[in-house]
Each structure stands twice: as structure tokens, then as C-alpha cells.
Amino acid sequence: MCRFTSGESVTDQSIYLDVRGPLMRFAASLVGPDNAADLVSEVLVATLQRRSLMSLENPQAYLMQAVLNRARSARRRMDKELDALYRYATVSRGDEANADVLVRADVVRTVARLPVQQRAAIYLVYWADLEPYEAADLLGIRPATLRRYLHLARKKLRRYLNEQ
Amino acid sequence: MNNDSYRRLAQAGLAPLLEDVPPGPEWEELMPPTQAVPALRRRPAAWVIGFGTATVVLIVFGIATLLSTSDLPSTLTTVAQGEPRVSSSLPTQDQQERTWPAGDPPTVAFAVELRGEGKELNAVLPNGDAFAWRFPEDLPIETATASIKAWITEDNANNPESYDIVLAQGDVATWFGNADLVSGELDHDGVYVYTRRDLPSGSYLVITGDAWIGWIFSNYRISDQDAERLANLISIGASSSGWPLLSLDPPLRLAAPSEFPPLALDLWHPSFVVSLYPEGCIGSASEGDADGSYVVRCVEGGPLRVDVSVQQLDFGSAEEIANGVEPVDSGG
């Protein structure tokens, strides 16, 4: 996740440039890479119309929450696009001979169909390697809530595995 | 299945989305377009300056003459405004209970979306001071008649972009909050969406009738203190037996005492009686844990009936509500 460099003059632009990478990856995990830039743009434009990023206590958390909420709204529009992506996604990571790393499109589809909050949770915890309490802090929710999202997501993943 | 397995699965599922993430919009793209102000290329002609100056002097002189010789009122009066069609103003303290103007009640059909679920609620305003909400029949919960006042606390300001899906459709929507801090706009689907600003403690929405507030406050968390206040204000129109108000569909069934997990009750509604259906299990509500979750541990015994008190209000999606009681996944 983003860390600000101390000692430099902080501006809205510098803050944005610092958080842009994490924000884009987070957005991509929610709405796909093709829609991530639009989502981030919408959030930033809306935010900057109202306030300076410098006025925010934790700009990254604020923007991530905004991205998450907007993604929830945008999800319906983007579902079809995501479906198209997942339909053709057959990805393998690591050694295909090792059965537990063989990834099939079904896995991708299962993850893709998780509610946005659950996907945000698994992204932050399993991809960005944050502790649940850190992820919860970023999303502005209680750790218990984040754990519930994780639990529900895992339940669906488990269901997928059981169906295999 | 351990945590690493979940991690690998999750990473695999996310990988296609994250393998080729573009760098994101440039800063310049985020700036609003500005109108270029053309620079003056030359001074205006002297006669233009002279003519303009003379005109200004004449106007000032004329106004001064008028004011000194007429009996015009010395103050301006504002133009009377029509009644706003969208009621989003903050009622004064003594008006807070009267949520609709007297007279014929508005009859407005609302379509309120359940975000993330694509379902709709239909609600009508049956009288002058209440909303009535009804669940679609396919939702796996039973409604209870409730009068709810929900306090929105400063805690919620931490999530400033959250949507308050207040009421939708048409041009009547009511938010009894601080109008200066809450504004509404129609989104692309015609759903009336309120974007929350920094709501001060004490702002609230009043809903009376067959109500379920969770759909509205999808992102809200209410502090314990305010939840307690909320609980004190809620009157549940339960059956004479007092329960069940909420039934889980399917009911949670636990096969054997040895398999009883601790149950984390993320409460969707205060004062719910949560019925569990193991054949033998007595649960007692423990104290809320450090995170505010309410944990119930089952022990072997008779039918479990838990009267849940408010520890945390954390409204979630329909799916989460349907799964409102679930085993704690302590396996990490």
C-alpha cells in the first residue's frame, strides 16, 4: 500500500500520484482493468470538486472507500463486460502440474461474482497482504465486518471447490 | 481447507483483473476544463474609456436622485419561492416529528433498489407522516412493524462517499438530516441517491410503518450508544408469542454438539429474536467481543432461543442479511 514520503511538499497532485497505483489496482480488482481508470477518474473528479486531498486525514483510505462505493453502483453496468472477460479467462499460475495451483476459468468466475465488498476484502487481504484490521481501516469498516466479508467469500470459494 | 488455500484461490481469481492494470488517469485529466481567458491585446480606445466613465457617473447620479426623492422601501424583499418539490430540508427541532406537511398525504410509489442484489422494494406513503416499506415476498425474512428512528453519527462520516439510498423515483425524496450536509441527485437509473457529507451526530431519518431500515443504511454503522438509543425507540410489532421475528431460511442446523461453533451475530436489527434449530442447544449471549461482534456459544441442551440485544448494527446486503447468523470461521 501507499506510503507517503516525508519531507516533500505535499500537494493534491503529489497525493494523487502516490495513491494512484494502489487505487488503480484496487479498482481493477472490483470492476476490471478496463473500467478501473474510469472509476478512479469519476471518484477523483467528484472528490476534488468538493475538497482538497490535502484536507483528508487518510486520502488513500478515503479514495478507496469512494472507489468501493462507486464500484457497487457501477457493478451492474459492468457485469456484462466482466462476464465477457471471465468467460475467456483460463489462467494458470505457477506449475500446472501441481494441481492446487491450476486455475481454471471457474475460479475466476467464482471470484468475479463475489459481491463487491467481499471482493474488496479478499483483494486487500489476500492480494495486497494486509492484515484484516488494516484492510478494515482502509475501508472504514469494523474488523468484524471485514472478517464477515472474508468469511462469506471463503464460503463461496469453498463451495466452488466442493463442486469440483 | 486452510488459509493458504483460500489465498491461492483468491489470488487466482483476481489475477486476470490485476495482471495488466493501466497506470490510471493523469493528473491533468482530472482537472476540470478551464475557460481560457483571452489576454487584452491592446488598450481600449480613449473614447471608449471616456464614454464608459460618463455612463457610470450618470447612473450613479440617477440612483442617488431617486433614493432621495422617493419613498421606496429601503430594504429589498426577497422573491417568494414556491414550495420545493423535493423535501430535503432539515426540520427544526420542534418539527422533527412532523415529517410531512399537513393535508392530503402524498401518494408516491417508490422503487428502492437493493444494491448488489438487483431486487426492488416497493413502498408507498400511506399517510402524512410515515413511510411504509414492504419486502418483496421472496426475501427470506419476515417484516416486523416497527417505528424506527435512526441516528446517524459522526462515525459514518468516515465513509463519505457512501450512498444513502433513501427513497427513489420521481421527485419526492425526504431526508431528515442536515440539508447543508446532504444533497441528493438522480443517478443514472433514476434512483435518488444521497451522497453523505459529514453528518453531525443527531441527524436522523424517520421511518414509520412496516419498516426495515437495513436496506437504507447499507453502509452505516451506529455507535453502541446510538444503537442503544435506537433500540429504545423501536417497537416491534411481534406476534403475541413474541417471536419469531426473524427466521432464517434455511434455518441454521447444527448436527452435533461437538460441531457447535461459536456463532457470530452481526445484527441486522436490534431486538431480533434469533431462532436456531439444532435439536439440542442452549445458547447464552456473551458479551460483545473486542470488535463489537456478538458471539454466542452453544452448549448442549434444549432449544436455543437467543434474545439478542444491540451490540452492533451493521447493515449489509440482502444476501448478508439472509446469512445474518453464521458460524465464526475461526480457521483463519
Side-chain angles (χ1 to χ4, degrees):
Chain A
M1 293 283 106
C2 168
R3 297 283 183 272
F4 292 108
T5 308
S6 62
E8 298 175 0
S9 64
V10 177
T11 63
D12 278 354
Q13 183 175 6
S14 69
I15 292 173
Y16 168 67
L17 293 178
D18 274 341
V19 303
R20 181 170 66 170
L23 207 57
M24 280 295 295
R25 286 190 291 278
F26 181 61
S29 76
L30 302 179
V31 298
D34 293 342
N35 298 310
D38 285 346
L39 181 61
V40 169
S41 287
E42 287 176 18
V43 166
L44 260 296
V45 168
T47 302
L48 289 169
Q49 282 174 350
R50 292 196 301 272
R51 64 183 68 203
S52 162
L53 300 183
M54 291 183 289
S55 70
L56 301 171
E57 187 177 339
N58 185 342
Q60 186 180 5
Y62 181 100
L63 293 171
M64 289 181 83
Q65 291 164 31
V67 162
L68 175 62
N69 284 310
R70 202 165 283 249
R72 294 176 67 188
S73 173
R75 179 76 185 274
R76 290 160 295 152
R77 286 178 289 167
M78 296 172 175
D79 269 354
K80 289 182 180 177
E81 298 169 44
L82 284 172
D83 272 351
L85 170 65
Y86 304 133
R87 199 171 301 127
Y88 299 109
T90 303
V91 184
S92 63
R93 305 179 75 218
D95 180 10
E96 292 193 8
N98 188 346
D100 70 346
V101 296
L102 181 62
V103 182
R104 297 167 48 181
D106 289 348
V107 182
V108 181
R109 206 160 21 239
T110 301
V111 170
R113 288 178 177 165
L114 293 175
V116 171
Q117 302 99 311
Q118 294 174 28
R119 204 129 55 95
I122 66 167
Y123 167 76
L124 292 173
V125 173
Y126 289 145
W127 189 279
D129 269 341
L130 294 182
E131 291 296 326
Y133 73 88
E134 294 175 308
D137 196 40
L138 272 181
L139 298 179
I141 59 179
R142 295 185 184 195
T145 305
L146 188 114
R147 286 204 307 270
R148 187 178 70 250
Y149 290 155
L150 279 179
H151 167 75
L152 292 171
R154 284 197 295 253
K155 194 159 65 175
K156 286 171 186 163
L157 291 172
R158 194 161 52 225
R159 194 182 307 152
Y160 156 75
L161 283 184
N162 292 338
E163 288 169 358
Q164 301 309 299
Chain B
M1 192 164 175
N2 59 30
N3 204 38
D4 284 342
S5 303
Y6 287 123
R7 182 181 297 274
R8 279 199 296 274
L9 265 184
Q11 289 181 346
L14 289 168
L17 300 174
L18 296 164
E19 282 177 344
D20 192 20
V21 179
E26 295 299 326
W27 175 252
E28 291 73 18
E29 298 171 35
L30 303 172
M31 293 292 96
T34 55
Q35 297 293 328
V37 180
L40 289 177
R41 291 180 180 174
R42 61 186 180 189
R43 288 171 57 84
W47 70 268
V48 173
I49 297 175
F51 183 79
T53 304
T55 303
V56 170
V57 169
L58 281 173
I59 291 173
V60 170
F61 181 77
I63 291 174
T65 304
L66 265 176
L67 289 176
S68 63
T69 59
S70 71
D71 55 357
L72 286 173
S74 57
T75 57
L76 296 176
T77 56
T78 56
V79 177
Q81 305 254 337
E83 287 297 317
R85 300 183 69 192
V86 176
S87 172
S88 60
S89 61
L90 176 69
T92 60
Q93 194 68 29
D94 58 350
Q95 291 176 325
Q96 286 177 347
E97 297 299 327
R98 296 189 296 114
T99 58
W100 293 98
D104 290 335
T107 302
V108 181
F110 291 108
V112 179
E113 179 194 51
L114 301 182
R115 285 194 177 273
E117 294 299 312
K119 296 178 181 177
E120 288 189 349
L121 291 174
N122 293 314
V124 295
L125 298 175
N127 55 53
D129 59 3
F131 298 132
W133 297 79
R134 290 190 184 282
F135 284 111
E137 291 179 358
D138 57 346
L139 284 181
I141 46 180
E142 297 175 10
T143 58
T145 301
S147 298
I148 297 175
K149 291 180 181 178
W151 269 259
I152 311 306
T153 70
E154 287 174 327
D155 186 35
N156 299 310
N158 293 329
N159 201 2
E161 292 291 331
S162 293
Y163 294 122
D164 302 326
I165 310 168
V166 181
L167 299 173
Q169 215 64 43
D171 55 5
V172 176
T174 301
W175 171 265
F176 300 96
N178 188 329
D180 293 330
L181 299 173
V182 181
S183 64
E185 58 182 296
L186 287 172
D187 78 1
H188 52 85
D189 288 329
V191 175
Y192 213 90
V193 173
Y194 279 96
T195 301
R196 184 170 55 213
R197 302 286 193 271
D198 297 330
L199 290 178
S201 182
S203 301
Y204 65 87
L205 173 72
V206 175
I207 302 174
T208 305
D210 291 343
W212 176 265
I213 203 169
W215 305 119
I216 300 172
F217 300 108
S218 60
N219 282 320
Y220 280 170
R221 285 176 291 115
I222 298 178
S223 70
D224 290 348
Q225 181 184 1
D226 285 322
E228 187 177 340
R229 295 166 63 195
L230 175 60
N232 291 335
L233 287 163
I234 289 179
S235 60
I236 303 293
S239 61
S240 56
S241 63
W243 75 308
L245 298 176
L246 168 67
S247 62
L248 298 175
D249 186 16
L252 180 66
R253 292 183 184 279
L254 304 174
S258 62
E259 294 178 22
F260 288 169
L263 302 176
L265 303 181
D266 282 321
L267 302 182
W268 313 113
H269 193 295
S271 304
F272 264 148
V273 175
V274 180
S275 60
L276 303 176
Y277 294 87
E279 263 60 48
C281 174
I282 289 180
S284 61
S286 70
E287 297 294 327
D289 70 10
D291 294 321
S293 289
Y294 210 77
V295 177
V296 175
R297 292 185 184 278
C298 287
V299 295
E300 191 173 1
L304 172 64
R305 176 174 166 173
V306 182
D307 291 318
V308 180
S309 61
V310 173
Q311 287 293 316
Q312 176 188 4
L313 279 174
D314 194 347
F315 300 113
S317 68
E319 176 193 25
E320 290 160 348
I321 289 172
N323 292 288
V325 177
E326 62 194 37
V328 170
D329 190 350
S330 56

Coordinates of all heavy atoms in Angstrom, one line a residue, chain A residues 71-124:
Chain A
A71 N -18.0 1.6 -7.1 CA -18.0 0.3 -7.8 C -19.3 -0.5 -7.5 O -19.8 -1.2 -8.4 CB -16.8 -0.5 -7.3
R72 N -19.8 -0.4 -6.3 CA -21.0 -1.1 -6.0 C -22.1 -0.6 -6.9 O -23.0 -1.3 -7.4 CB -21.4 -0.8 -4.6 CG -20.4 -1.5 -3.6 CD -20.8 -1.1 -2.2 NE -22.1 -1.8 -1.8 CZ -22.7 -1.5 -0.7 NH1 -22.2 -0.7 0.2 NH2 -23.8 -2.1 -0.4
S73 N -22.1 0.7 -7.2 CA -23.1 1.3 -8.0 C -22.9 0.9 -9.5 O -23.8 0.7 -10.2 CB -23.1 2.8 -7.9 OG -23.9 3.4 -8.8
A74 N -21.6 0.9 -9.8 CA -21.3 0.7 -11.2 C -21.3 -0.8 -11.6 O -21.3 -1.1 -12.8 CB -19.9 1.3 -11.6
R75 N -21.3 -1.6 -10.6 CA -21.1 -3.0 -10.9 C -22.2 -3.6 -11.8 O -21.9 -4.4 -12.7 CB -21.3 -3.8 -9.5 CG -21.1 -5.3 -9.6 CD -19.7 -5.7 -9.8 NE -19.6 -7.1 -10.1 CZ -19.4 -8.0 -9.1 NH1 -19.4 -7.6 -7.9 NH2 -19.3 -9.3 -9.4
R76 N -23.4 -3.1 -11.7 CA -24.4 -3.7 -12.6 C -24.1 -3.4 -14.0 O -24.3 -4.2 -14.9 CB -25.8 -3.0 -12.2 CG -26.3 -3.5 -10.9 CD -27.3 -2.5 -10.4 NE -26.7 -1.2 -10.1 CZ -27.3 -0.1 -10.2 NH1 -28.6 -0.1 -10.5 NH2 -26.7 1.0 -9.9
R77 N -23.6 -2.2 -14.2 CA -23.3 -1.8 -15.6 C -22.1 -2.6 -16.2 O -22.0 -2.9 -17.3 CB -22.9 -0.3 -15.7 CG -24.1 0.6 -15.5 CD -23.6 2.0 -15.6 NE -22.8 2.4 -14.3 CZ -22.1 3.4 -14.2 NH1 -22.0 4.3 -15.2 NH2 -21.5 3.7 -13.1
M78 N -21.3 -3.0 -15.3 CA -20.0 -3.6 -15.7 C -20.1 -5.1 -15.7 O -19.2 -5.8 -16.1 CB -18.9 -3.1 -14.9 CG -18.7 -1.6 -15.0 SD -17.5 -1.0 -13.9 CE -17.3 0.7 -14.4
D79 N -21.1 -5.6 -15.2 CA -21.2 -7.1 -15.1 C -21.1 -7.8 -16.4 O -20.4 -8.8 -16.5 CB -22.6 -7.5 -14.4 CG -22.4 -7.6 -12.9 OD1 -21.3 -7.5 -12.4 OD2 -23.4 -7.8 -12.2
K80 N -21.7 -7.2 -17.4 CA -21.6 -7.9 -18.7 C -20.2 -7.9 -19.2 O -19.8 -8.9 -19.8 CB -22.6 -7.2 -19.7 CG -24.0 -7.4 -19.4 CD -24.9 -6.8 -20.4 CE -26.4 -7.0 -20.1 NZ -27.3 -6.4 -21.0
E81 N -19.6 -6.8 -19.0 CA -18.2 -6.7 -19.5 C -17.3 -7.7 -18.7 O -16.5 -8.3 -19.3 CB -17.6 -5.3 -19.3 CG -18.4 -4.2 -20.1 CD -18.0 -2.8 -19.7 OE1 -16.8 -2.6 -19.6 OE2 -18.9 -2.0 -19.6
L82 N -17.5 -7.7 -17.4 CA -16.7 -8.7 -16.7 C -17.0 -10.1 -17.1 O -16.1 -10.9 -17.2 CB -17.0 -8.5 -15.2 CG -16.4 -7.2 -14.5 CD1 -16.9 -7.0 -13.1 CD2 -14.9 -7.4 -14.5
D83 N -18.3 -10.4 -17.3 CA -18.6 -11.7 -17.7 C -17.9 -12.1 -19.0 O -17.4 -13.3 -19.1 CB -20.1 -11.8 -17.9 CG -20.9 -12.2 -16.6 OD1 -20.2 -12.5 -15.6 OD2 -22.1 -12.1 -16.6
A84 N -17.8 -11.2 -19.9 CA -17.1 -11.5 -21.1 C -15.6 -11.8 -20.8 O -15.1 -12.7 -21.4 CB -17.2 -10.3 -22.1
L85 N -15.1 -11.0 -19.9 CA -13.7 -11.3 -19.6 C -13.5 -12.7 -18.9 O -12.7 -13.5 -19.3 CB -13.2 -10.2 -18.6 CG -11.8 -10.5 -17.9 CD1 -10.7 -10.4 -19.0 CD2 -11.6 -9.4 -16.8
Y86 N -14.4 -13.0 -18.0 CA -14.3 -14.2 -17.3 C -14.5 -15.4 -18.2 O -14.0 -16.5 -18.0 CB -15.2 -14.3 -16.1 CG -14.9 -13.1 -15.2 CD1 -16.0 -12.4 -14.7 CD2 -13.6 -12.7 -14.8 CE1 -15.8 -11.3 -13.9 CE2 -13.4 -11.7 -14.0 CZ -14.5 -10.9 -13.5 OH -14.2 -9.9 -12.7
R87 N -15.4 -15.2 -19.1 CA -15.8 -16.3 -20.0 C -14.5 -16.9 -20.7 O -14.4 -18.1 -20.9 CB -16.8 -15.9 -21.0 CG -17.6 -17.0 -21.6 CD -18.7 -16.5 -22.5 NE -19.6 -15.7 -21.7 CZ -20.0 -14.5 -22.0 NH1 -19.6 -13.9 -23.1 NH2 -20.9 -13.8 -21.3
Y88 N -13.7 -16.0 -21.0 CA -12.5 -16.4 -21.8 C -11.2 -16.6 -20.9 O -10.2 -16.9 -21.4 CB -12.2 -15.5 -22.9 CG -13.4 -15.4 -23.9 CD1 -14.2 -14.3 -23.9 CD2 -13.7 -16.5 -24.7 CE1 -15.2 -14.2 -24.8 CE2 -14.8 -16.4 -25.5 CZ -15.5 -15.3 -25.6 OH -16.6 -15.2 -26.4
A89 N -11.4 -16.3 -19.7 CA -10.3 -16.3 -18.8 C -10.0 -17.8 -18.3 O -10.7 -18.4 -17.6 CB -10.5 -15.4 -17.6
T90 N -8.9 -18.3 -18.8 CA -8.4 -19.5 -18.3 C -6.9 -19.3 -18.0 O -6.1 -19.2 -18.9 CB -8.6 -20.6 -19.3 OG1 -9.9 -20.7 -19.7 CG2 -8.1 -22.0 -18.8
V91 N -6.7 -19.2 -16.8 CA -5.4 -18.7 -16.4 C -4.7 -19.8 -15.5 O -5.3 -20.4 -14.7 CB -5.5 -17.4 -15.5 CG1 -4.2 -16.9 -15.2 CG2 -6.4 -16.4 -16.3
S92 N -3.5 -19.9 -15.8 CA -2.7 -20.8 -14.9 C -1.6 -20.0 -14.3 O -0.9 -19.2 -15.0 CB -2.2 -22.0 -15.7 OG -1.3 -21.6 -16.7
R93 N -1.4 -20.2 -13.1 CA -0.2 -19.6 -12.4 C 0.6 -20.7 -11.8 O 0.1 -21.6 -11.2 CB -0.7 -18.6 -11.4 CG -1.7 -17.6 -11.9 CD -2.2 -16.7 -10.8 NE -1.2 -15.7 -10.4 CZ -0.9 -15.3 -9.2 NH1 -1.6 -15.8 -8.2 NH2 0.0 -14.5 -8.9
G94 N 1.9 -20.5 -11.9 CA 2.8 -21.5 -11.3 C 2.9 -22.7 -12.1 O 2.6 -22.8 -13.4
D95 N 3.1 -23.8 -11.5 CA 3.3 -25.1 -12.1 C 2.0 -25.8 -12.4 O 1.3 -26.1 -11.4 CB 4.2 -25.9 -11.2 CG 4.4 -27.3 -11.8 OD1 4.1 -27.5 -13.0 OD2 5.0 -28.1 -11.1
E96 N 1.7 -25.9 -13.6 CA 0.4 -26.5 -13.9 C 0.3 -28.0 -13.5 O -0.8 -28.6 -13.3 CB 0.1 -26.4 -15.4 CG -0.2 -25.0 -15.8 CD -0.8 -24.9 -17.2 OE1 -1.1 -26.0 -17.7 OE2 -0.9 -23.8 -17.7
A97 N 1.5 -28.6 -13.4 CA 1.5 -30.0 -12.9 C 1.0 -30.1 -11.5 O 0.6 -31.1 -11.1 CB 2.9 -30.5 -13.1
N98 N 1.2 -29.0 -10.8 CA 0.7 -29.0 -9.4 C -0.8 -28.7 -9.4 O -1.2 -27.6 -9.7 CB 1.5 -28.0 -8.6 CG 1.2 -28.1 -7.1 OD1 0.3 -28.7 -6.7 ND2 2.1 -27.4 -6.3
A99 N -1.5 -29.6 -8.9 CA -3.0 -29.5 -9.1 C -3.6 -28.3 -8.4 O -4.5 -27.7 -8.8 CB -3.7 -30.8 -8.7
D100 N -3.0 -28.0 -7.2 CA -3.6 -26.9 -6.4 C -3.3 -25.5 -6.9 O -3.8 -24.6 -6.4 CB -3.3 -27.1 -5.0 CG -1.9 -26.7 -4.7 OD1 -1.1 -26.6 -5.6 OD2 -1.5 -26.6 -3.5
V101 N -2.4 -25.4 -7.9 CA -2.2 -24.1 -8.5 C -2.8 -24.0 -9.9 O -2.7 -23.0 -10.5 CB -0.8 -23.7 -8.5 CG1 -0.2 -23.6 -7.1 CG2 0.1 -24.6 -9.3
L102 N -3.4 -25.1 -10.3 CA -4.1 -25.0 -11.6 C -5.4 -24.2 -11.5 O -6.2 -24.5 -10.7 CB -4.4 -26.4 -12.1 CG -5.0 -26.5 -13.5 CD1 -4.1 -25.9 -14.5 CD2 -5.4 -27.9 -13.8
V103 N -5.4 -23.1 -12.2 CA -6.5 -22.2 -12.0 C -7.4 -22.3 -13.3 O -6.9 -22.2 -14.4 CB -6.0 -20.8 -11.8 CG1 -7.2 -19.9 -11.6 CG2 -5.1 -20.7 -10.6
R104 N -8.6 -22.5 -13.0 CA -9.5 -22.6 -14.2 C -10.4 -21.3 -14.2 O -10.5 -20.6 -13.2 CB -10.3 -23.8 -14.0 CG -9.5 -25.1 -14.1 CD -10.2 -26.3 -13.6 NE -11.5 -26.4 -14.3 CZ -12.4 -27.3 -14.1 NH1 -12.1 -28.3 -13.3 NH2 -13.5 -27.3 -14.7
A105 N -11.0 -21.2 -15.3 CA -11.9 -20.1 -15.5 C -13.0 -20.1 -14.5 O -13.5 -19.0 -14.1 CB -12.5 -20.1 -16.9
D106 N -13.3 -21.2 -14.0 CA -14.4 -21.3 -13.0 C -14.0 -20.5 -11.7 O -14.8 -19.9 -11.0 CB -14.7 -22.8 -12.6 CG -15.4 -23.5 -13.7 OD1 -15.9 -22.8 -14.7 OD2 -15.5 -24.7 -13.7
V107 N -12.7 -20.6 -11.4 CA -12.3 -19.9 -10.2 C -12.4 -18.4 -10.4 O -12.9 -17.7 -9.5 CB -10.8 -20.3 -9.9 CG1 -10.4 -19.6 -8.6 CG2 -10.7 -21.8 -9.7
V108 N -12.0 -18.0 -11.5 CA -12.1 -16.6 -11.9 C -13.5 -16.1 -11.8 O -13.8 -15.1 -11.3 CB -11.5 -16.3 -13.3 CG1 -11.5 -14.9 -13.6 CG2 -10.1 -16.9 -13.3
R109 N -14.4 -17.0 -12.4 CA -15.8 -16.6 -12.4 C -16.3 -16.5 -11.0 O -17.1 -15.7 -10.6 CB -16.5 -17.6 -13.2 CG -17.8 -17.0 -13.8 CD -18.3 -17.7 -15.0 NE -17.9 -19.1 -15.2 CZ -17.2 -19.6 -16.2 NH1 -16.9 -18.8 -17.2 NH2 -16.9 -20.8 -16.3
T110 N -15.9 -17.5 -10.2 CA -16.4 -17.5 -8.8 C -16.0 -16.2 -8.0 O -16.8 -15.6 -7.4 CB -15.8 -18.7 -8.0 OG1 -16.3 -19.9 -8.7 CG2 -16.3 -18.8 -6.6
V111 N -14.8 -15.9 -8.2 CA -14.3 -14.6 -7.6 C -15.0 -13.4 -8.1 O -15.4 -12.5 -7.4 CB -12.8 -14.5 -7.7 CG1 -12.3 -13.1 -7.3 CG2 -12.0 -15.6 -6.9
A112 N -15.2 -13.5 -9.4 CA -15.8 -12.3 -10.1 C -17.2 -12.1 -9.6 O -17.7 -10.9 -9.6 CB -15.8 -12.5 -11.6
R113 N -17.8 -13.1 -9.2 CA -19.2 -13.0 -8.9 C -19.4 -12.7 -7.4 O -20.6 -12.6 -6.9 CB -20.0 -14.2 -9.3 CG -20.2 -14.3 -10.8 CD -20.9 -15.5 -11.3 NE -21.1 -15.4 -12.7 CZ -21.4 -16.4 -13.5 NH1 -21.5 -17.6 -12.9 NH2 -21.5 -16.3 -14.8
L114 N -18.4 -12.6 -6.7 CA -18.5 -12.2 -5.3 C -19.0 -10.8 -5.3 O -18.7 -9.9 -6.1 CB -17.1 -12.2 -4.6 CG -16.5 -13.6 -4.4 CD1 -15.1 -13.4 -3.8 CD2 -17.3 -14.5 -3.5
P115 N -19.8 -10.5 -4.3 CA -20.2 -9.1 -4.1 C -19.0 -8.2 -3.9 O -17.9 -8.7 -3.5 CB -21.0 -9.1 -2.8 CG -21.6 -10.5 -2.7 CD -20.5 -11.4 -3.3
V116 N -19.2 -7.0 -4.3 CA -18.0 -6.1 -4.4 C -17.3 -6.0 -3.1 O -16.0 -6.0 -3.0 CB -18.5 -4.7 -4.9 CG1 -17.3 -3.7 -4.8 CG2 -18.9 -4.8 -6.3
Q117 N -18.0 -5.9 -2.0 CA -17.4 -5.8 -0.7 C -16.5 -7.0 -0.4 O -15.4 -6.9 0.2 CB -18.4 -5.6 0.4 CG -19.3 -4.4 0.3 CD -20.6 -4.9 -0.3 OE1 -20.7 -5.6 -1.3 NE2 -21.7 -4.4 0.3
Q118 N -17.0 -8.1 -0.7 CA -16.3 -9.3 -0.4 C -15.0 -9.4 -1.3 O -13.9 -9.8 -0.9 CB -17.1 -10.6 -0.7 CG -18.3 -10.7 0.3 CD -19.2 -11.8 0.0 OE1 -18.8 -12.8 -0.6 NE2 -20.5 -11.7 0.3
R119 N -15.2 -8.9 -2.5 CA -14.0 -8.9 -3.4 C -13.0 -7.9 -2.9 O -11.8 -8.2 -3.0 CB -14.4 -8.6 -4.9 CG -13.5 -9.1 -5.9 CD -14.2 -9.9 -7.0 NE -15.2 -9.1 -7.6 CZ -15.1 -8.4 -8.7 NH1 -13.9 -8.3 -9.3 NH2 -16.1 -7.8 -9.3
A120 N -13.5 -6.8 -2.5 CA -12.5 -5.8 -1.9 C -11.8 -6.4 -0.7 O -10.6 -6.2 -0.6 CB -13.3 -4.6 -1.4
A121 N -12.5 -7.2 0.1 CA -11.9 -7.8 1.3 C -10.8 -8.8 0.9 O -9.7 -8.8 1.4 CB -12.9 -8.5 2.1
I122 N -11.1 -9.6 -0.1 CA -10.1 -10.6 -0.4 C -8.9 -10.0 -1.2 O -7.8 -10.5 -1.1 CB -10.7 -11.8 -1.2 CG1 -11.2 -11.4 -2.6 CG2 -11.8 -12.6 -0.4 CD1 -11.5 -12.6 -3.5
Y123 N -9.2 -8.9 -1.9 CA -8.1 -8.3 -2.6 C -7.1 -7.7 -1.6 O -5.9 -7.9 -1.7 CB -8.7 -7.1 -3.5 CG -7.5 -6.2 -3.9 CD1 -6.7 -6.6 -5.0 CD2 -7.3 -5.0 -3.3 CE1 -5.6 -5.8 -5.3 CE2 -6.3 -4.2 -3.7 CZ -5.4 -4.6 -4.7 OH -4.4 -3.8 -5.1
L124 N -7.7 -7.0 -0.6 CA -6.8 -6.3 0.3 C -6.1 -7.3 1.2 O -4.9 -7.1 1.6 CB -7.6 -5.4 1.2 CG -8.2 -4.2 0.5 CD1 -9.1 -3.4 1.4 CD2 -7.1 -3.3 0.0

